[in-house]
Amino acid sequence: MALASVAGVSTSAFAQSAAAPSGTIRLSDEERNAILDSNTVESAAAARGERESTPAAGRAIHGEVGVMIGSNGARGAYGVAEVPLGESADMIVSFESTRYGNRRR
């Protein structure tokens, strides 16, 4: 609001220009209730992008990688991955490579 006063623009112009987007879709109460009544826990989780709650849903490769850059030529990279093996075993693989460059004396 202070910016509008400084610029010499009426603050009511800002309020009027903040109309609803033209692509807004509004549901009637009956449509909304029909959607809510047919909703299940599984369909809501899928709509949010959550995984299914099956035993094998979490059995995927998970991990991370990273890099580091420092002064005097220091640099490094690392990574780790957890790999599922069968139904009840896992393997973890990791690596790291670091070079510290020219150290000052």
Side-chain angles (χ1 to χ4, degrees):
M1 297 299 181
L3 181 61
S5 300
V6 171
V9 178
S10 170
T11 56
S12 62
F14 285 126
Q16 292 172 358
S17 67
S22 61
T24 302
I25 299 173
R26 301 208 184 268
L27 298 176
S28 67
D29 288 340
E30 294 81 20
E31 292 171 324
R32 182 181 56 85
N33 288 334
I35 291 170
L36 292 175
D37 290 341
S38 65
N39 207 8
T40 64
V41 174
E42 292 81 15
S43 65
R48 288 190 301 266
E50 296 175 359
R51 294 187 188 153
E52 296 178 17
S53 59
T54 61
R59 304 291 293 167
I61 298 173
H62 298 282
E64 67 179 57
V65 295
V67 296
M68 119 14 219
I69 300 173
S71 57
N72 296 323
R75 61 193 179 275
Y78 69 91
V80 62
E82 178 187 5
V83 182
L85 301 174
E87 292 294 319
S88 60
D90 292 318
M91 173 179 67
I92 298 178
V93 180
S94 62
F95 73 90
E96 184 261 337
S97 176
T98 305
R99 296 188 183 182
Y100 290 102
N102 299 327
R103 293 185 181 184
R104 293 185 180 175
R105 295 178 187 187

